[in-house]
Amino acid sequence: MVKIYQRSFQDIPVLEVVEEEYRYEKVPLVVFYHGWRSEKELVLTQARKLAAKHIRVVLPDAMNHGKRLEDVSSIPSFTFWNSIQGNLAEFELILSFYQKRDLIKDNKIGVGGYSMGGMTTGALFAQHPEITAGTIIMGTPNLNAYAKLVRYHAKNHGIYVPKDLNMLTSWIDNYDLNLHPEKINKRPLLFWHGTEDERIPYEESKDFFDKIQGHEYGEQVAFITGYKAGHLVEPPLMDKIANFFEYYLS
């Protein structure tokens, strides 16, 4: 039976989702991140499907979300990037808890997420070679392209944007997988993106996938197009994600 346990790692509230019989046993680990203005409880259906594959799933609340909910800055995307940066800063803290207790089977570590969580996944891939496999679902690995798009739309709508916003978020360069695609290093990485996504352009993910074709480092990258699909995950896709992690982590 799949069980849900509440934990806190310092100030990070998480849900640990795992079959009861494996709670204290070595199993593969997946850290799965929710989207913008969402929360960990809203990805529990995905977590249950993963846990049913004998995988331990950890769902963190990102900074400014869920139990850590804070007001959004009036500066466009500033809170958004702060939330992703928080995910990146806290990843090792979560991982080390299970590593120190020897609860990760064969060092099999998966990372995935929806939307903002998918962008977190791409960013982690750029700096964490210990990750075994990942899923970027309706997110983009091209962080700078998305940042430029947000600034462009904000200026067109007369919204105040600091002249140095690009510098204030310059850490993005180190985590932009589009700038460092070789960091994939032959690891399995699954993309899904809907062609009618109204929040994150489909082209940002698809262009990246097309760009890395023929390169050895990207030989295990797969892309699923959601034809006429918007910014929404349906249960059949959740099953594909669970099957992906089962195949590469088991």
Side-chain angles (χ1 to χ4, degrees), residues 181-206:
E182 72 283 352
K183 296 291 186 71
I184 297 172
N185 195 26
K186 304 181 184 179
R187 288 176 290 175
L189 180 60
L190 174 66
F191 285 87
W192 181 92
H193 214 123
T195 57
E196 304 299 320
D197 193 318
E198 69 283 3
R199 297 187 186 178
I200 301 176
Y202 166 79
E203 291 75 20
E204 288 189 9
S205 293
K206 186 59 165 59

Side-chain angles (χ1 to χ4, degrees), residues 4-221:
I4 301 166
Y5 304 97
Q6 295 192 35
R7 290 191 181 276
S8 289
F9 301 129
Q10 294 184 20
D11 61 336
I12 313 167
V14 309
L15 296 177
E16 180 182 318
V17 186
V18 64
E19 289 173 310
E20 189 172 15
E21 64 184 293
Y22 294 117
R23 187 180 183 188
Y24 301 109
E25 301 294 328
K26 287 185 181 183
V27 289
L29 175 72
V30 170
V31 183
F32 204 90
Y33 294 94
H34 63 73
W36 170 246
R37 306 322 285 166
S38 184
E39 59 187 350
K40 60 187 182 304
E41 284 79 9
L42 295 182
V43 286
L44 269 172
T45 300
Q46 179 69 80
R48 288 189 181 98
K49 289 178 180 290
L50 286 163
K53 305 291 189 181
H54 314 314
I55 293 170
R56 187 187 319 277
V57 188
V58 176
L59 309 175
D61 267 335
M63 289 174 59
N64 311 304
H65 292 75
K67 289 187 176 180
R68 312 165 84 183
L69 188 65
E70 297 288 346
D71 292 337
V72 176
S73 169
S74 61
I75 298 173
S77 77
F78 199 66
T79 307
F80 176 81
W81 292 117
N82 174 252
S83 302
I84 292 180
Q85 189 178 35
N87 284 342
L88 304 179
E90 295 167 352
F91 175 70
E92 285 187 350
L93 176 62
I94 295 170
L95 197 58
S96 66
F97 176 87
Y98 298 97
Q99 289 173 327
K100 289 176 181 176
R101 288 159 180 78
D102 197 23
L103 289 172
I104 305 176
K105 183 179 180 181
D106 300 328
N107 295 313
K108 294 293 183 71
I109 299 163
V111 177
Y114 300 155
S115 192
M116 181 182 78
M119 295 169 74
T120 296
T121 299
L124 287 169
F125 249 65
Q127 293 294 339
H128 288 273
E130 70 273 26
I131 295 171
T132 306
T135 58
I136 298 177
I137 309 302
M138 58 186 184
T140 171
N142 194 337
L143 304 186
N144 276 292
Y146 186 72
K148 288 176 183 176
L149 183 66
V150 171
R151 293 196 297 268
Y152 172 79
H153 284 306
K155 288 178 181 178
N156 277 1
H157 286 84
I159 300 171
Y160 166 71
V161 178
K163 292 179 180 178
D164 57 350
L165 183 58
N166 186 41
M167 292 179 62
L168 289 166
T169 56
S170 60
W171 61 267
I172 289 173
D173 289 346
N174 295 314
Y175 290 88
D176 189 329
L177 197 60
N178 187 62
L179 296 178
H180 312 282
E182 72 283 352
K183 296 291 186 71
I184 297 172
N185 195 26
K186 304 181 184 179
R187 288 176 290 175
L189 180 60
L190 174 66
F191 285 87
W192 181 92
H193 214 123
T195 57
E196 304 299 320
D197 193 318
E198 69 283 3
R199 297 187 186 178
I200 301 176
Y202 166 79
E203 291 75 20
E204 288 189 9
S205 293
K206 186 59 165 59
D207 289 350
F208 173 83
F209 176 73
D210 291 343
K211 181 180 80 170
I212 67 172
Q213 292 308 292
H215 292 277
E216 192 175 357
Y217 60 74
E219 62 186 17
Q220 292 202 87
V221 179

